[in-house]
Amino acid sequence: MGVVLGTEERWQVIDGERAGLAALLQELRPEEWDRPTQCGDWRVRDVAAHLALAPHITYGTAVREFVRARGSTDRMIHDTAVRAGRRPAEEILADIRATVGSRRLAPGTTRREPLLDILVHGQDIALAVGRARVMPVAAACDAADRVWTMRFPPRPWPLPRARLVATDADWTRGSGEEIHGPVSALLLLLTGRTAAARPRLTGAVPARP
């Protein structure tokens, strides 16, 4: 059963997560901003730049970037983040802080994507720099439920052919051999971070993302 937060409750969690991420980024040494993450070829600075950019990109900019990316949404998201990530860390950090309180959505997304983004990408950054970052359980359930049910925007990760069972919440999805673990680990599995999720899961965990 999925857990879905109310709209205002979700935004409150998002604001807390954005502020917490800004505090984490503030502590980073210059070289840590260039650490690789589990999000493709993005470095910490690229992931942070993506999170800062998403609430502020306009439809006009999105259309121009889409054309520039030759009609590929994935390439557009990747390239805009990498270009924004070239800016000084101080500017990226300031932009992250400026997202706290924002209710704007990136073009083509729903009100549930900002929570999914900040939870998963927050883990990408924390794992890359060896910091602990705890996900709120109810928020992780909401995000995991969004990944499982999303049709638009298209889900970029294949769903595991298994029954996912959270051990810390009333959240279960799928059928087949069971995978058990904290819902935060299941969310990482659902979003292709298998290497990060595997140590906290038991059962039929896939060998690869």
Side-chain angles (χ1 to χ4, degrees):
M1 180 178 180
V3 176
V4 179
L5 301 178
T7 300
E8 186 53 37
E9 185 180 7
R10 189 179 295 122
W11 280 118
Q12 289 174 2
V13 174
I14 292 166
D15 283 342
E17 290 296 303
R18 286 170 171 173
L21 182 61
L24 186 156
L25 292 169
Q26 176 67 53
E27 298 175 354
L28 298 188
R29 301 185 301 275
E31 64 272 17
E32 289 180 307
W33 282 84
D34 292 313
R35 292 265 182 92
T37 72
Q38 294 194 37
C39 186
D41 64 351
W42 284 1
R43 302 162 297 170
V44 166
R45 61 172 52 252
D46 303 322
V47 176
H50 167 72
L51 288 171
L53 181 66
H56 300 294
I57 190 168
T58 65
Y59 276 90
T61 300
V63 169
R64 288 194 298 272
E65 292 295 342
F66 186 70
V67 172
R68 184 175 184 177
R70 301 188 297 281
S72 169
T73 301
D74 288 344
R75 186 182 295 120
M76 178 188 74
I77 293 170
H78 173 276
D79 292 353
T80 55
V82 171
R83 284 197 298 272
R86 294 171 185 155
R87 295 177 303 145
E90 294 78 9
E91 292 184 14
I92 298 172
L93 176 57
D95 285 348
I96 288 284
R97 286 178 173 146
T99 65
V100 178
S102 172
R103 299 295 183 260
R104 292 190 61 183
L105 301 174
T109 63
T110 75
R111 294 177 180 177
R112 298 183 74 182
E113 267 66 70
L115 178 62
L116 172 60
D117 255 13
I118 191 65
L119 290 181
V120 174
H121 286 316
Q123 290 298 311
D124 288 333
I125 291 171
L127 290 167
V129 297
R131 305 298 205 278
R133 185 168 170 81
V134 178
M135 280 193 208
V137 172
C141 288
D142 188 276
D145 194 59
R146 173 57 180 157
V147 176
W148 192 274
T149 60
M150 74 193 312
R151 298 294 180 270
F152 186 85
R155 181 179 51 245
W157 317 281
L159 294 177
R161 297 179 179 178
R163 180 172 175 79
L164 308 185
V165 181
T167 54
D168 56 350
D170 181 18
W171 192 89
T172 303
R173 285 281 185 176
S175 60
E177 294 187 73
E178 293 190 350
I179 299 175
H180 294 256
V183 68
S184 57
L186 295 175
L187 176 58
L188 292 179
L189 177 67
L190 283 168
T191 53
R193 279 75 174 173
T194 305
R198 186 181 292 113
R200 296 193 291 146
L201 298 175
T202 59
V205 183
R208 296 182 180 180

